Amino acid sequence: MRQNNLSRGSERTYPLRMPPGWEPPVPAFSSEFGAATNEISMAVIGCQFSRPHRDRLYEIVAGLELLLRKVGEADHVDLSECPIDGTGHSQFVATCYWLKPDAMAKFFDTTDFKAFWARHSTEGLAYGVFREFFNIPMKRFETLHSGPDHIVGIAHARQSVSDPILRHAYWGSMRDRIEESATDELEPVGDIEVLEKGPNRIVVRPNQNLAVIRSGQDLTKATGVEREEYFSDIEPVLKAGMKFLRDNGLEEVNCIDCRYMSLLEEGGTRKDHTYGLAYFRSLKDLEQWAEFHPTHLAIFNAFMEFAPRYGPEMRSRYWHEVSVLPAVSQIAEYINCAPGTGLLSGVRN
Ligand code: HEM
């Protein structure tokens, strides 16, 4: 077995939490990107609306997807919908990734994107738009997949998939998979900073070491009893966990924002594939919620009863992507959005 992203070798200041002689009870895998990839750019670009505008707004985000693929040359784009965000509105979101340095910045600088953005930024429109964009050094990034064959998110652009990894299935394994954590505790520094503020627009920069997670469950291939049991035993506790993070996360566990999303088919129909997109003030806050909070423990425990019943025959797939952001080049812009949208909920007055 070998470990993803960890072969570049460095002395550890902080020990691994992996127990000595650890053998994971089930296999898991990580995406691999090759030594030439030092950074991933990720952007969450979306619109916020109230329900009656759904069809019209889907067209806008579908147009954006086309732009991202054709003009932006994004390495991957997926579309998803959040039925209710932390402000009570809905969102359509394009999540896009680039492996080439500066490709995201170049896209934002194209006349096509600028025209698109200007068209949807006029004061008084019935919807808001936003973009949250992050530059993630590979050393601060990790992925986990329950199956080596499962392709989602940045895995669409990966070079290969690892062999079964050792560093998973114990608390603290997420941190152990992040290379930088060997020498840096990744503690949060500073607050979310307001860079610009106008009548209908606000631009912020996250605090250093903000932790971003996309954590998903893909039921598209699950059938029969497995499918029924997922929806009866796991989905209710998952929804409760996502609701807790959305509504109480900031006060209770330093989760600045959580959106429970459905990935979309072409045309806007929801897939049987959901994920949580959450921003925590720090990796430690994310770890603490996962390890100790009853809402994640309920999800985890339900899964631990469910998964062994299917073993290698399990058709549903589980995955996550986690990044811990350095202070530089991380920006979020909100135009005509409700107060408290996304990272705005973490701005201290
Ligand atoms: C870890 C189950 C949803 C955050 C885990 C692990 C399992 C699990 C089995 C251990 C993984 C390993 O290392 O092998 C699930 C299931 C979910 C779900 C079945 C949904 C049906 C979520 C969501 C989030 C989340 C939505 C966050 C938004 C985490 C984190 C860890 C974790 C941060 C890593 C903890 C650590 O290593 O310290 N979860 N989870 N999970 N989960 Fe979940």
Side-chain angles (χ1 to χ4, degrees), residues 272-285:
D272 268 346
H273 190 164
T274 55
Y275 67 94
L277 168 66
Y279 299 152
F280 279 75
R281 177 159 158 75
S282 72
L283 187 67
K284 190 179 278 169
D285 291 314

Side-chain angles (χ1 to χ4, degrees), residues 244-295:
F244 166 79
L245 287 181
R246 185 192 68 196
D247 298 341
N248 305 87
L250 184 62
E251 295 77 20
E252 297 191 31
V253 292
N254 278 336
C255 174
I256 294 161
D257 186 54
C258 178
R259 286 165 263 185
Y260 182 50
M261 302 277 213
S262 290
L263 282 162
L264 300 177
E265 312 269 9
E266 209 175 303
T269 316
R270 289 188 201 159
K271 290 186 188 181
D272 268 346
H273 190 164
T274 55
Y275 67 94
L277 168 66
Y279 299 152
F280 279 75
R281 177 159 158 75
S282 72
L283 187 67
K284 190 179 278 169
D285 291 314
L286 174 57
E287 282 175 312
Q288 298 271 312
W289 175 73
E291 182 172 355
F292 298 113
H293 198 272
T295 53

Side-chain angles (χ1 to χ4, degrees), residues 168-169 172-174 215 217 234 242 286 289-290 296 299-300 303:
H168 86 98
S173 61
M174 167 178 63
S215 175
Q217 36 288 325
I234 297 185
M242 296 293 89
L286 174 57
W289 175 73
H296 185 264
I299 303 167
F300 180 83
F303 184 72

